[in-house]
């Protein structure tokens, strides 16, 4: 049974990557019928709902995943990004901060998104700090943080810093 579920999940992910969202969703819903607390299926269903522009459905799946698995960072990240797009800045910030707390700066993802959120809020100094920390954590694997920091420096008239 366990191996069957792994194979089904792999097929669902492959279909998702092929943009066959409904087919992928059907398999994942079947997985949930067998095991309601499957964090991978719940998370992937949230991603499908985003792809289908169903923000409410995506939010429900990510929240359910976090209900069963409160320390699962990736639904937090996706939920934070979803909230940021919806203008729910406080909720987005809370999700990113929870991710950072759990992750303990092993990965830069939430700091990048938090920096982007701070820019939207006009908190340039806080954004700069997040991007710098993101670069430090990512050890130069994150061109996105460098790009965002460069854009911020240009906006601030710091062309020399932007060039670096």
């Amino acid at each position: 049974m366990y191996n069957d579920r792994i194979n089904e999940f792999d097929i669902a992910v492959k279909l998702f990557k092929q943009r066959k969202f409904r087919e992928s969703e059907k398999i994942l819903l079947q997985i949930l019928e067998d095991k309601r607390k499957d964090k991978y299926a719940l998370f992937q269903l949230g991603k499908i709902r985003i792809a289908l522009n169903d923000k409410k459905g995506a939010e429900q799946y990510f929240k359910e995943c976090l209900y069963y698995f409160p320390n699962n960072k990736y639904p937090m990240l996706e939920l934070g990004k979803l909230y940021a797009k919806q203008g729910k800045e406080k909720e987005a910030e809370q999700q990113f901060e929870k991710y950072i707390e759990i992750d303990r700066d092993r990965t830069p993802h939430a700091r990048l998104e938090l920096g982007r959120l701070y820019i939207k809020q006009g908190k340039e100094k806080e954004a700069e700090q997040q991007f710098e920390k993101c670069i430090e954590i990512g050890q130069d694997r994150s061109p996105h943080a460098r790009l965002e920091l460069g854009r911020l420096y240009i906006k601030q008239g710091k062309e020399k810093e932007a060039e670096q």
Side-chain angles (χ1 to χ4, degrees):
M1 181 67 176
Y2 178 74
N3 285 336
D4 291 342
R5 196 164 49 240
I6 290 173
N7 291 334
E8 289 173 345
F9 182 78
D10 290 341
I11 291 167
V13 169
K14 190 173 190 175
L15 289 167
F16 176 82
K17 289 178 181 177
Q18 295 170 353
R19 304 188 57 76
K20 296 179 180 177
F21 303 125
R22 299 287 183 195
E23 293 93 331
S24 178
E25 181 178 45
K26 185 177 177 182
I27 293 169
L28 293 167
L29 289 171
Q30 183 61 48
I31 290 171
L32 288 184
E33 278 187 31
D34 296 338
K35 182 183 177 205
R36 185 64 201 178
K37 297 179 186 178
D38 189 297
K39 68 180 173 183
Y40 303 108
L42 289 167
F43 177 74
Q44 195 63 34
L45 281 164
K47 298 283 282 182
I48 288 171
R49 294 284 97 205
I50 287 175
L52 294 173
N53 202 28
D54 175 11
K55 295 171 182 76
K56 191 175 193 102
E59 181 180 4
Q60 288 173 340
Y61 279 118
F62 292 141
K63 281 183 167 182
E64 184 174 354
C65 191
L66 288 169
Y67 176 78
Y68 294 126
F69 306 95
N71 291 332
N72 191 342
K73 303 177 301 190
Y74 298 106
M76 285 176 204
L77 182 67
E78 293 301 325
L79 194 53
K81 289 168 32 177
L82 181 63
Y83 287 151
K85 287 179 185 173
Q86 294 175 323
K88 298 177 181 178
E89 295 176 354
K90 190 71 173 165
E91 292 91 336
E93 190 172 350
Q94 289 171 343
Q95 293 302 315
F96 298 143
E97 287 174 351
K98 279 188 218 173
Y99 180 110
I100 291 167
E101 182 181 325
I102 291 168
D103 186 62
R104 299 195 177 166
D105 284 338
R106 290 184 297 258
T107 59
H109 309 301
R111 288 197 182 271
L112 176 64
E113 296 301 330
L114 188 55
R116 289 175 172 160
L117 181 64
Y118 285 153
I119 285 178
K120 283 174 59 176
Q121 295 174 335
K123 299 177 180 178
E124 293 180 359
K125 186 65 180 166
E126 291 89 341
E128 183 178 345
Q129 290 170 344
Q130 293 302 321
F131 294 141
E132 287 174 350
K133 186 68 175 175
C134 186
I135 292 166
E136 178 187 319
I137 295 165
Q139 300 173 354
D140 243 2
R141 292 181 306 221
S142 179
H144 303 291
R146 287 196 179 282
L147 179 63
E148 295 290 354
L149 188 57
R151 287 178 179 157
L152 179 59
Y153 285 151
I154 288 170
K155 181 179 176 185
Q156 295 172 334
K158 300 177 181 178
E159 282 78 19
K160 285 200 186 282
E161 288 91 339
E163 290 175 7
Q164 298 175 4

